[in-house]
Amino acid sequence: MVSKLTEKPLASWRGKDRYEGRILDTLTVIFRSGGCSWNRCRMCGYRHERYPDLPRDELAERLIRQVRWVKENFRDEDYQVLKIFTSGSFFDPDEVPPAVRRAVAEAFRGKAVIAETRPEYVDADAVREFREGIDSGDWDKPLHVAVGLETTNDLIRERSIDKGFSYADFLRAAEAAHAAGAGMKAYLLMKPPFLTEREARDDMIRSIRDVAPVADSISMNLCTVQSRTEVEHLWKQHAYRPPYLWSVLDVLISSPVHILCDPVGGGQMRGPHNCGACDGPIVKGIADYSLSGDVGLLRALAETECGCKEEWEFVLDGEEPFCMPLTR
């Protein structure tokens, strides 16, 4: 008999997000699933959070138990947007059986849903079926398919992240999602391993400009050091440092479109950070900008006087691949 504990998702929390130009209440749920089919990304700690091999019927039942847990623990009136993550891909039928997708659609009909998946699983028919299942007519786009593109540079995505797909694969997925009446959300990753601070900053500036005409929304994730990952191994060897918050401001200020950015772990050694003295207001300012879109707030933060800005400028100018990172 399955214990009550296994019904609880890996994580769930309420927050706020910008959706279709409005600031709305969100519920984020990370479901334990059959596991990512790729399971190789260097920075991802969720690759370890999966059920062991289960018959499809049992896997579906365990996932549906998690859906019931969410419905029992969060009131429908407290949020408008549901953000779904799994150990890998929501639209992978081996990881999340179709019966589970139908149960999710029935349970959360009327919500705006953002569901993450790898591009190879963006099948127009499956996306359309799910969109129609959740659509109550209240949203222009009730579903956004979210893909961890990370960067538009194929070499960086393959060598620094080991992502296993190309930018062309993402473009094909975007076309399929749009054909099914869904929006496309691109997740970018700032500073995967093996890049200097300048390379990481410039890659994000370029990637945002590349993908802006294709994606309906863009979220830039700032690389953090998660447990039991290759990034953590490099970090412990003093061979990796998360991005400076100064670099994050640079990227967001230069963007031609609004970028969602939740600075998870900001100000901590395992997350994006400066010196510690100036981190707090910058982390808060980035989070506020993500909701408001007020670039003026970022420009004011970029003028903050702190001794570590000189250090950051030195790193931008002097860090080379063979001697990185210059700082911790």
Side-chain angles (χ1 to χ4, degrees):
M1 182 175 178
V2 179
S3 71
K4 183 68 175 175
L5 183 62
T6 62
E7 297 177 357
K8 187 174 182 179
L10 287 170
S12 56
W13 65 90
R14 286 179 51 203
K16 291 186 180 295
D17 214 335
R18 192 177 180 92
Y19 190 90
E20 293 187 350
R22 293 183 289 162
I23 299 173
L24 299 174
D25 294 303
T26 64
L27 173 63
T28 300
V29 182
I30 304 176
F31 290 103
R32 188 187 300 275
S33 69
C36 178
S37 62
W38 182 251
N39 205 38
R40 287 166 55 175
C41 297
R42 301 187 197 280
M43 72 292 177
C44 181
Y46 285 108
R47 60 194 285 190
H48 306 291
E49 304 291 349
R50 58 200 295 152
Y51 286 123
D53 290 338
L54 294 174
R56 179 170 286 203
D57 289 349
E58 185 176 348
L59 173 61
E61 174 58 27
R62 291 201 178 191
L63 278 158
I64 290 171
R65 284 172 182 251
Q66 293 178 66
V67 173
R68 293 193 196 114
W69 186 94
V70 172
K71 293 293 288 184
E72 290 173 0
N73 285 271
F74 294 96
R75 299 188 308 168
D76 284 348
E77 57 267 32
D78 287 342
Y79 64 97
Q80 297 85 46
V81 180
L82 174 68
K83 300 164 73 173
I84 298 174
F85 299 89
T86 67
S87 307
S89 297
F90 182 70
F91 286 99
D92 176 359
D94 291 328
E95 181 183 348
V96 180
V100 177
R101 291 205 302 268
R102 289 190 287 270
V104 170
E106 180 180 354
F108 299 103
R109 180 174 170 81
K111 302 296 184 186
V113 176
I114 302 169
E116 187 181 35
T117 191
R118 286 178 61 85
E120 59 263 40
Y121 301 115
V122 183
D123 173 78
D125 290 338
V127 171
R128 184 179 297 106
E129 179 187 2
F130 184 73
R131 178 188 61 78
E132 291 173 349
I134 62 171
D135 190 5
S136 60
D138 295 327
W139 305 94
D140 291 338
K141 281 191 171 66
L143 173 64
H144 277 71
V145 175
V147 172
L149 172 64
E150 319 303 9
T151 170
T152 58
N153 185 306
D154 284 343
L155 189 62
I156 291 175
R157 190 182 318 98
E158 189 59 30
R159 299 297 177 85
S160 290
I161 306 172
D162 196 8
K163 196 75 184 186
F165 65 80
S166 68
Y167 186 40
D169 294 328
F170 172 85
L171 295 176
R172 283 191 289 270
E175 185 177 356
H178 288 145
M184 178 56 105
K185 181 174 186 176
Y187 286 111
L188 299 179
L189 180 67
M190 183 166 187
K191 205 178 183 187
F194 314 127
L195 298 185
T196 66
E197 191 75 16
R198 178 178 292 277
E199 287 171 337
R201 183 198 64 176
D202 293 350
D203 175 56
M204 284 296 95
I205 292 172
R206 181 174 52 249
S207 293
I208 289 169
R209 290 175 179 167
D210 288 345
V211 82
V214 181
D216 298 278
S217 65
I218 303 170
S219 180
M220 184 173 74
N221 295 326
L222 312 177
C223 194
T224 58
V225 181
Q226 298 182 16
S227 297
R228 298 188 295 164
T229 62
E230 290 180 56
V231 168
E232 184 184 52
H233 173 75
L234 293 167
W235 178 73
K236 287 181 175 179
Q237 299 296 318
H238 293 196
Y240 177 76
R241 184 204 193 276
Y244 279 87
L245 293 166
W246 298 120
S247 296
V248 180
L249 291 176
D250 246 14
V251 172
L252 296 176
I253 289 170
S254 67
S255 172
V257 296
H258 177 255
I259 303 297
L260 298 165
C261 185
D262 182 7
V264 175
Q268 302 176 41
M269 290 300 290
R270 284 178 174 259
H273 63 276
N274 287 344
C275 64
C278 64
D279 294 33
I282 296 178
V283 169
K284 182 180 184 302
I286 292 170
D288 289 346
Y289 154 80
S290 188
L291 292 178
S292 70
D294 183 3
V295 181
L297 172 62
L298 300 180
R299 292 196 177 101
L301 288 168
E303 297 300 318
T304 301
E305 292 297 329
C306 188
C308 73
K309 186 183 287 186
E310 185 176 341
E311 173 190 285
W312 167 68
E313 291 169 346
F314 174 79
V315 168
L316 282 181
D317 290 339
E319 195 172 62
E320 297 289 347
F322 59 81
C323 66
M324 57 175 286
L326 287 181
T327 60
R328 288 288 281 168

